[in-house]
Structures are given as structure tokens and as C-alpha cells.
């Protein structure tokens, strides 16, 4: 039984059960996809890192070395790719041309800079040692310099945002930074009531992951001179894709291996975090609830929790919930005029469910 899909993330109410039948995406469906979403923005994405690094201080100093560290061309670039595809889709919807405007490309870069800043700060908070298969920034340069480097990246993104000269877009993307901070604070706590706990988790997921995608999609739509309805559609697509993306990330923490993920698995349990697979498992195994409240800090809690999740259908239910959000993203994007970019965004909402890392 899954939580209701349509959730007001500002005024969350107790969860009810969804009566919809999840759409299953199998290998035959994936094989039938005709458009590779990555290829449509390959040119823009291939130059993204170099363009971003040009925004950093020109002097060859330690701060620039740290800022450059994760912009090595080895990231997923999922967020800028979604923003660029959305730019093409809304531009075609509005003008019948799917070119990307320079201001919209700037949003894609700003989104990746903000995301990278959040990774640096998260690794300091979590005490992580690896990221993307290599030592974290704080492991190499220390916590103090890592925090300052993350702050520097946020300042670079703020300057780039201000230079766009669009007050509405500034407001939209500034919300992302507030959401990231509030989401991190939410991650430090939990809720005693089970329904409150799942709502807390979903709201935190929106703020920490989906807000950046949602507001980036909205920003490129605004810059494409879209109507308010189209900009809201873009926001909803990004929100649902972002939540689905994080749900898959959370289940991979239980099903993948460290060599594939590029970071330690079961990391969430080790950090004391109860993600969707654990929260679903707790419905069948209530003994997980006290472990959740004490953040798995007693000896044997982590291994016991892993075994209970494995015995339950928590991972399956998490995937089903991700599929519901994927379907909602597809429903939203189909409002746009049919185009290759629009179809690519639809297919992207399916493909993200097949992630292995």
C-alpha cells in the first residue's frame, strides 16, 4: 500500500493509501524507446564543465583547485540535462523551435553548481569519505576548507543568477538554496507517528533533491516566455522526477554494491536515516520503529534493520512509489505540444527507474 501521490509539500496531511495500479516498466518498454534523451543535449552538456570552471577565480590557487574538483566531467549531469531538455520542450511549445537560449543554458550551469555545493556540504555533515568513486573534498583538504569551498560555489551561482537580470527567476532559484538548508535540518530529526514520519521523509526529499529540479525546470520555462500554467507544469514535472530519482537512490542503498555506487552502501542506516525502504518495512516489522527513533545507534541495529528490509517488500514498494511519481511526471509533460524534446523528457522519467547507480 503506497502513500497518496498528490501531496501538498507545504501543508502535508496524514497519508492515505493509493488505489492506483503502478505501471511496471520492463526491459521491452525500455528497448522500445526511440529517442535517446542524452543525445539531444550532448553538445551543451559536453562543454558544461569547462564553462562552469570559467566562472571560478582565474588565479591558480587552492580555492580554484577545490572548486574544480568535482567538475571533472565524470558526474551524471542529470540536473542540467533535465533543465536543458525542458528548455527545448517549452521553447518548441511556445515558438515551434527547440533551440536553447543562452539564459536557459545558464540555468543548467547554475543548477549543477548549486548541486555540487550541496554535495560538498553534505559530505562534511555526514562524514563521508568517498564521492563519485574518489575521496571527498573534506577528505583531501579538510572540513574547514570544504565548507568554505561549498560557500564559494553558492556565491558563484548567486552572481551568475543575478546577472540574468530576471527577478522572478532569481526568486525561483533562491528558493532552492533555502530548501536545501531546511531539508538538511529536517534530516536531523524524525517523527514518532508513522504517518507523520513518512510525510516528513517525503517533504525532506522534496527540499533536498526535488526542489532543485523543479525550480530549474520552472526557471527555464519562465525564461522561455511561457505562460504561468506551462511554468507550473514544468515545476511539477521536475518535482516528480526529482522525488522518483531520490526514491531509486534510496532503494539502491540496499540493493547495490559500493563498487557500483561509488560510495558506501547502507550509508543511510549508518547515518541514522530511515528512508522509504525502511519506512515501508516498518509497516510489517514494527520492531523497526524504536530503531528508527534512536537512529540505529545501538549495537546490531544496522544489521538487524538491513535484514528486516530484505525480508519485507520495502524495496518493491519504494520502486512502486517511484513509478507513481514517474507516471505523474509523464502526465504533466504530455500537456506540452508533441516534440522530440518532450518525448525525451517522458522517456527520461521511465529510464531513471532503471538506474543502477
Amino acid at each position: 500500500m503506497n502513500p497518496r501521490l498528490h501531496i501538498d509539500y507545504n501543508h502535508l496531511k496524514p497519508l492515505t493509501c493509493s488505489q492506483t495500479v503502478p505501471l511496471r516498466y520492463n526491459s521491452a518498454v525500455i528497448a522500445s524507446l526511440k529517442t535517446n534523451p542524452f543525445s539531444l543535449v550532448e553538445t551543451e552538456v559536453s562543454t558544461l564543465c569547462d564553462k562552469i570552471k570559467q566562472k571560478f577565480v582565474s588565479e591558480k590557487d587552492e580555492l580554484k583547485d577545490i572548486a574544480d574538483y568535482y567538475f571533472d566531467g565524470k558526474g551524471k549531469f542529470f540536473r542540467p540535462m533535465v533543465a536543458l531538455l525542458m528548455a527545448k520542450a517549452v521553447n518548441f511549445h511556445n515558438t515551434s523551435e527547440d533551440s536553447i537560449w543562452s539564459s536557459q543554458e545558464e540555468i543548467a550551469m547554475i543548477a549543477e553548481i548549486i548541486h555540487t555545493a550541496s554535495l560538498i556540504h553534505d559530505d562534511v555533515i555526514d562524514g563521508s569519505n568517498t564521492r563519485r568513486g574518489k575521496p571527498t573534498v573534506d577528505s583531501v583538504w579538510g572540513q574547514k576548507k570544504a565548507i568554505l569551498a561549498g560557500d564559494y560555489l553558492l556565491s558563484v551561482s548567486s552572481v551568475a543568477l543575478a546577472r540574468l537580470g530576471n527577478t522572478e527567476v532569481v526568486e525561483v532559484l533562491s528558493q532552492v538554496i533555502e530548501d536545501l538548508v531546511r531539508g538538511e535540518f529536517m534530516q536531523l530529526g524524525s517523527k514518532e507517528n508513522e504517518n507523520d514520519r513518512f510525510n516528513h521523509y517525503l517533504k525532506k526529499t522534496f527540499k533536498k533533491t526535488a526542489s532543485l529540479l523543479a525550480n530549474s525546470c520552472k526557471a527555464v520555462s519562465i525564461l522561455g516566455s511561457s505562460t504561468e500554467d506551462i511554468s507550473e507544469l514544468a515545476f511539477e514535472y521536475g518535482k516528480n522526477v526529482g522525488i522518483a530519482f531520490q526514491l531509486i537512490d534510496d532503494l539502491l542503498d540496499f540493493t547495490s554494491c559500493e563498487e557500483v555506487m561509488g560510495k558506501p552502501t547502507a550509508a543511510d542506516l549508518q547515518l541514522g536515516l530511515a528512508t522509504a525502504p525502511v519506512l515501508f518495512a516498518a509497516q510489517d516489522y514494527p520492531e523497526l520503529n524504536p530503531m528508527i527513533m534512536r537512529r540505529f545507534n545501538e549495537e546490531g541495529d544496522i544489521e538487524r534493520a538491513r535484514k528486516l528490509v530484505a525480508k519485507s517488500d520495502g524495496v518493491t514498494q519504494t520502486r512502486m512509489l517511484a513509478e507513481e511519481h514517474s507516471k505523474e511526471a509523464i502526465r504533466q509533460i504530455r500537456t506540452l505540444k508533441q516534440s522530440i524534446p518532450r518525448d525525451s523528457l517522458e522517456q527520461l522519467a521511465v529510464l531513471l527507474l532503471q538506474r543502477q547507480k
Side-chain angles (χ1 to χ4, degrees), residues 163-178:
R163 284 177 176 162
L164 291 175
N166 186 307
T167 55
E168 186 178 4
V169 168
V170 170
E171 183 177 353
V172 166
L173 279 186
S174 295
Q175 183 64 46
V176 173
I177 298 176
E178 178 184 343

Side-chain angles (χ1 to χ4, degrees), residues 111-352:
E112 187 66 11
I113 294 171
I114 292 174
H115 172 58
T116 303
S118 73
L119 295 183
I120 294 173
H121 284 160
D122 281 356
D123 287 340
V124 172
I125 293 169
D126 298 342
S128 302
N129 296 317
T130 58
R131 168 75 68 178
R132 295 177 179 172
K134 64 182 184 179
T136 58
V137 167
D138 60 294
S139 296
V140 178
W141 285 278
Q143 288 189 354
K144 292 181 179 179
K145 289 181 179 179
I147 293 170
L148 291 172
D151 291 345
Y152 171 68
L153 290 182
L154 289 177
S155 72
V156 170
S157 70
S158 298
V159 170
L161 188 57
R163 284 177 176 162
L164 291 175
N166 186 307
T167 55
E168 186 178 4
V169 168
V170 170
E171 183 177 353
V172 166
L173 279 186
S174 295
Q175 183 64 46
V176 173
I177 298 176
E178 178 184 343
D179 284 345
L180 283 169
V181 175
R182 290 190 179 276
E184 195 63 52
F185 265 85
M186 290 182 70
Q187 189 161 282
L188 298 175
S190 188
K191 298 291 182 180
E192 184 69 44
N193 181 274
E194 183 180 335
N195 282 339
D196 289 344
R197 190 182 296 151
F198 217 121
N199 279 332
H200 182 88
Y201 161 78
L202 287 174
K203 189 173 182 180
K204 182 266 297 182
T205 296
F206 169 74
K207 289 185 178 296
K208 284 203 65 179
T209 302
S211 175
L212 179 55
L213 277 163
N215 285 294
S216 297
C217 286
K218 184 174 183 177
V220 297
S221 181
I222 292 169
L223 291 169
S225 302
S226 297
T227 63
E228 185 176 343
D229 287 347
I230 296 302
S231 294
E232 187 59 28
L233 172 158
F235 177 92
E236 289 296 321
Y237 174 87
K239 180 184 80 172
N240 282 283
V241 162
I243 293 172
F245 184 94
Q246 187 59 50
L247 287 166
I248 295 298
D249 201 63
D250 290 345
L251 72 84
L252 286 174
D253 199 45
F254 287 91
T255 63
S256 191
C257 61
E258 184 171 342
E259 289 76 14
V260 172
M261 289 290 283
K263 59 183 179 181
T265 52
D268 292 327
L269 288 177
Q270 293 172 34
L271 292 171
L273 304 178
T275 55
V278 178
L279 297 177
F280 278 123
Q283 295 175 2
D284 295 325
Y285 299 99
E287 58 263 45
L288 278 166
N289 289 315
M291 295 187 221
I292 292 170
M293 291 308 299
R294 63 177 178 254
R295 299 178 72 84
F296 312 102
N297 63 5
E298 289 189 6
E299 185 176 355
D301 276 358
I302 293 175
E303 189 56 35
R304 178 63 178 157
R306 290 182 68 172
K307 289 180 178 178
L308 290 173
V309 170
K311 287 173 61 178
S312 75
D313 62 354
V315 167
T316 298
Q317 287 191 298
T318 300
R319 183 173 294 280
M320 289 168 66
L321 183 57
E323 288 175 352
E324 287 194 23
H325 280 283
S326 170
K327 287 194 296 179
E328 177 61 14
I330 291 169
R331 189 185 73 82
Q332 292 287 342
I333 205 64
R334 281 180 178 171
T335 304
L336 294 181
K337 186 187 301 183
Q338 194 280 327
S339 66
I340 293 177
R342 191 207 73 172
D343 292 348
S344 293
L345 286 168
E346 181 176 333
Q347 293 164 14
L348 187 65
V350 177
L351 289 169
L352 69 87

Side-chain angles (χ1 to χ4, degrees), residues 5 70 295:
L5 178 59
Y70 284 141
R295 299 178 72 84

